Amino acid sequence: MLNFTHLNAATVDEAASLLAKYNGQAKLIAGGTDLLGLLENRCLPEDKAPKYIINLKTVDGLEYIKVDGNFLKIGALAKLHDIAFDTNVLKYAPALAAAARKVASWQIRNMGTIAGNICQGTRCWYYRATDNRFDCSRKGGSTCFALTGNMREHSVFGGTKGCFAAHPSDTAPALVALGATIVTNKASYAADKFFDGFKDTVLAADEIVTEIQVPAVTDTKQAFCKAAVRGQIDFAMADVAVVLKVSGGNVSDAVIVTNCASTLPIRLTAAEDAIKGKSLTDANIEAAAAAGVAKAQTINETVTYKKAVVEGLIKRALAACK
Amino acid sequence: MYEEYNITEPYSGESYPQSIYHNLKTDELKIVGKKSLRRVDSDAKVTGKLKFGDDWCFPNQTYLKLKRSIYPHAKFTVDAASVAAAKKIPGVLDVILPEDVKGINVSNSYNAVIMQGEVFNQGDPVCAVVATEEAICDDAIEAIKINYTQLPFVLLADDAKEDKDKDGNPYAVHGDTNLAATYLQAGGKEERGDTAKGLAAADKKIEKHYATETKKNTAIRDHAGIEPWVATTVWDNGDIVVYPSTQAPYTYVSTIASALKLPRSRVRCIMGGLGTGFGRKLQCYRESILAAWYTNKTHLPCRAFVEAEGMFNAGGKQCCQHHDIKIGVKNDGTITALVDESYAGVGTTVTGVTNNSISIFDYIWKTDNIKLVSKDYWTNMPYNQALRCVQHPIPTTFMGMAMDEAAEAINMNPADFLVKNMRDESGVGAHPSYPKYDMGTNAMPDMLKELIARSGFKNKWKGWKTPMAVDGSKRRGIGIGVHACHHGALSNPESANIQVLVDGSFRLSIGSMDQGTGSRTALMAMAAEELGITFDKIKMSQLDTAHVSESRTPGGSTVTRGSGTAAILAARDAKRQLFALAIAAKLIDAKEPTELEMANNEIYVKKDPSKKVAVATVCGKMQGTHGFGPIVGYGHYATARTTLEHREWNCDVVEVEVDVDTGELKILKVWSDCDPGRAIFPEGAWSQFAGGQLLFLSLSSYEGMVKDLATGYSLNADYQNYKIATNCECPDWDLNLYECPDPYGPFGAKGICEPQSAAVSPAIANAIYNAIGVRLYTTPFTPENILEALGKA
């Protein structure tokens, strides 16, 4: 374990000021399910490893899940398990509830927070190699080792700045599909503008997620599907989240988002366009799924299977909306 | 009620104890085989009171950790300035350099306790640190810098067998060639019968290549046991006392004594609990030798601890295997020839992979013509070790897949094909490759038929490439597989002693460890049954090599048979002495011990059971001034084991669901039969059976360590990325202990777990084929491999 100084923050403002004070040398911790592994295995180079850990668990009042006006509002520190079984989440955002329920194990869901889940770092096995074995481009090095190595866990939808590490969050594609807003101490971001394929999120060094807002509407059909080698305990091979509006038997609007097979959650607009205006027949679903992965790339032969997985999940998710 | 113990020399001049009650029905026994038996250490385990290797703690304890190579092959020197800096870290006591321990090897010169200037595998040790705390060891290890000169290396057997490195340049890991060993089987010959003629006479032929290794997936398999390697060494008035987590306490004694050039009498091993073994803890590891070396030098207690990543990288593995299988079949299902030519990459130090892998084919498949040859090649990979069996499960998987294909070639129901082709002989002289051997009992023919009927296989299996059911992209399929191997057999030597205590209770000491299997309960049950006492009157002490004579390493599911027999012999010896005491003390009306027997905590006269005396009364005479000494019963059991070749049998039917869109595999239902001889401790036997099934299901369906081909670095040396089946992957079990008591086993028992669980793997493979209509030729059966087979990747 790297040595660091552990600081408890009483408020978001205090945490933000500590982040600003230790500019670039501090990291936030809440559930700790992501950060502790990174530290314990000394994955980061010494100059990029945090010297200060700022604890958010000591900040009160950020664990809520409530309906406020037209929005379902979820505090940044709400536990994944609570989200998975909250009646309002199940009513307004069943895709998010399903995604939260499919994160890892019961123990992880009881510790992990929604903000932590969307802000977590990549699981790329080159990036996460013990003792910073691979000085990869994501850490400031010159190359992505996966390109000449084993990309089984990586993106099939291209790289970001030459890095092909997949984004691991299960809840992120659901939030993008739901048109959620990510609120921080400084700004609000549409969920589809929040993620960054190279540095996980667009957050500034002293910026902290405080709330997730999801439109509280019930006129959509939603589905979230995850495929993993051993079921949900594993990080996903791929996720797909779908939010549809259906009128007169036809899909009037569609948002289809995939993650874990891409460097960040991405909308599969070709699939959306293919299903809009059409009914959810098997043939239409298959055509939409095929369109969704038409632009998937196979950079390295060890990753090709993920294209099929995403296609299969689009079909499964659309079929679930019938 | 008991038969006389009879050592015969049945067939070969060697001594095999036979007929230890194997003919008794379970309802004639009072403790053995009873479903009411409960695991004796379960309370201590669930309340955390049982001491495992990591729980021992001593005053002034020090901690030792290794610094390991990050390269698979390199020359190295340890940077002296960084060592000096590390030594200045508060709490650092010593840095052990290669030259400090030169000449101390685990087995051969490629396996020094600390490598001498050259590493051959990622994880090889380059130096060690001793400190007052484990975390300080980590700081010192990070502070020490190593100067590496990287050298060529080879990871894949396909490259190694061409004597090339990963880039195709000429290279051998050791010496001039990577060929490490060549093996022949079928009675020590390359061929029995004439396979060329057999293939020529076949109506259909199968010729396929199967592998656990591909360029995408180096896929060597670990055990991933949760309890790490740990050993604490303590100086005790000139003796080195070791408290390890090991299956092999006597190996610890012999290895440490040999490495430190001490007489064995100066090294002693004490153990409490052991959390998993399964072959992972068969050796005395480098860390333990170094800890003993440090304790011997400083007289300070020293704990050596290996973290999970070190276990993954430096521990032994089930190595990769390639099998070129040819099968000839007649249209009536007769196998006219079976040929397997295999090769393996075996790592840097231990051969024997392919020798073990091919041996089982001749055990199980009925054919007049068989050819089994194999070659091991050195690679810059972790060494070969017997994890979850030697190397039998993978070839069982591949041959089961090939036989399914052979059945399809002649359009024969796969269950009928297996029934026709199982070896069905038993006893002496029945096997053509082993005419002088006793093959023991053979439950397979009847057991297989029972399984087929119980699972409803023949009704559920709808035909080749015809799934049981289709639901959208999901296909349900069913498959069948068989397995046999010679594990769980007698082992040697095994020792036990039983102290008779003055209150009429008994303390059993055994030389083999309970690895969590329940063997402690089974051994106590057998000893109590033989003694004729109730189960509450016997206790078992923790293992101490100073108290029990040399015993064999418990591996290969041998404890029940080997230690069980020793326990029975010790009980008989104790009983004989007790009878003599009862007579000498005039507590019972008899002249010779042979006139007496024990039951229900009483000694009675066989011819007149109304004449009896309580065991506790007799034992009371051992104290005070009665003039009778203490009683200790000894049991020691050994065989040369060259002509006893008993088989253990297992057959499985598996139902799976495969999503042909995503490649996801769900193993829904497993019906399995195995032959435990007699289940001594039924609850433990069932859990061993289920655990074994889960481990082998995991081995073929999920697991594989992935090496980065460019650097040789392990990419998934952790429990998240190395995917071993969890309880969530447990299917619906329908497990049947098909008891067929064995004449050589104590109470008819055979070993259980390892030898009776591997059939699940070929059954899964064949069920996948039934579901999706496409065969797999590599393991593991991951979504990636399934999608590739479907042409979708």
Side-chain angles (χ1 to χ4, degrees), chain B residues 72-297:
Chain B
H73 190 198
K75 297 268 189 192
F76 74 93
T77 57
V78 185
D79 178 71
S82 68
V83 169
K87 284 182 172 176
K88 288 180 182 167
I89 295 173
V92 172
L93 300 171
D94 203 355
V95 175
I96 306 173
L97 299 169
E99 53 267 32
D100 296 332
V101 288
K102 192 172 184 179
I104 302 179
N105 299 331
V106 177
S107 58
N108 57 42
S109 58
Y110 305 123
N111 216 5
V113 284
I114 292 178
M115 301 306 285
Q116 300 293 312
E118 185 172 358
V119 290
F120 295 91
N121 172 47
Q122 182 199 348
D124 275 355
V126 292
C127 66
V129 171
V130 185
T132 54
E133 292 178 28
E134 191 185 328
I136 296 173
C137 288
D138 291 334
D139 291 343
I141 283 170
E142 193 180 15
I144 295 170
K145 305 300 176 201
I146 307 295
N147 303 311
Y148 290 105
T149 305
Q150 292 187 62
L151 296 170
F153 63 89
V154 64
L155 302 175
L156 303 174
D158 274 334
D159 294 331
K161 75 187 177 72
E162 304 296 331
D163 288 331
K164 290 178 177 169
D165 69 6
K166 69 176 176 69
D167 299 319
N169 300 315
Y171 171 69
V173 178
H174 306 309
D176 299 327
T177 174
N178 285 322
L179 181 61
T182 302
Y183 300 102
L184 313 172
Q185 283 290 337
K189 301 172 189 169
E190 181 174 315
E191 190 167 17
R192 171 167 60 74
D194 187 333
T195 51
K197 274 189 181 172
L199 287 169
D203 292 321
K204 292 283 191 309
K205 278 181 270 192
I206 299 297
E207 191 170 342
K208 299 290 181 191
H209 181 82
Y210 299 84
T212 61
E213 170 192 82
T214 65
K215 290 244 179 234
K216 287 184 185 179
N217 195 353
T218 46
I220 52 174
R221 290 158 305 281
D222 199 273
H223 169 44
I226 287 173
E227 188 197 33
W229 299 331
V230 60
T232 306
T233 52
V234 177
W235 177 262
D236 182 14
N237 290 326
D239 288 351
I240 306 286
V241 185
V242 192
Y243 298 81
S245 62
T246 183
Q247 294 169 249
Y250 295 86
T251 303
Y252 260 73
V253 171
S254 59
T255 306
I256 288 173
S258 170
L260 303 187
K261 298 184 170 50
L262 299 172
R264 283 199 186 192
S265 58
R266 278 193 58 198
V267 184
R268 173 182 171 195
C269 195
I270 297 174
M271 294 186 67
L274 179 64
T276 73
F278 300 119
R280 167 56 100 176
K281 295 173 182 147
L282 282 170
Q283 295 165 310
C284 176
Y285 291 98
R286 293 165 153 129
E287 294 80 357
S288 312
I289 299 170
L290 284 166
W293 177 85
Y294 186 75
T295 293
N296 196 38
K297 179 176 138 185

Side-chain angles (χ1 to χ4, degrees), chain B residues 378-394:
Chain B
W378 300 124
T379 54
N380 294 101
M381 295 279 263
Y383 60 90
N384 154 43
Q385 194 172 23
L387 303 183
R388 294 177 239 175
C389 191
V390 282
Q391 306 289 344
H392 294 156
I394 289 299

Side-chain angles (χ1 to χ4, degrees), chain A residues 51-88:
Chain A
K51 308 293 182 294
Y52 300 90
I53 300 297
I54 299 163
N55 181 23
L56 292 174
K57 290 194 289 290
T58 44
V59 176
D60 288 332
L62 286 182
E63 296 194 351
Y64 57 84
I65 304 170
K66 63 187 179 187
V67 176
D68 183 3
N70 295 327
F71 290 95
L72 170 68
K73 294 184 176 178
I74 303 171
L77 297 181
K79 300 286 192 294
L80 293 166
H81 178 82
D82 296 333
I83 292 168
F85 294 99
D86 183 87
T87 51
N88 284 318

Side-chain angles (χ1 to χ4, degrees), chain A residues 1 28-41 43 53-57 76-81 100 103-123 128 168-171 233 235, chain B residues 718 720:
Chain A
M1 182 73 83
L28 298 172
I29 191 167
T33 57
D34 177 43
L35 184 65
L36 287 178
L38 201 70
L39 298 176
E40 186 173 6
N41 293 329
C43 302
I53 300 297
I54 299 163
N55 181 23
L56 292 174
K57 290 194 289 290
L77 297 181
K79 300 286 192 294
L80 293 166
H81 178 82
V103 174
S105 64
W106 198 284
Q107 292 89 337
I108 297 278
R109 292 192 294 275
N110 274 334
M111 289 296 292
T113 62
I114 182 69
N117 189 261
I118 61 174
C119 295
Q120 66 183 306
T122 179
R123 308 304 302 189
R128 291 253 176 182
S169 172
D170 291 323
T171 59
I233 197 170
F235 284 95
Chain B
D718 61 75
Q720 180 215 321

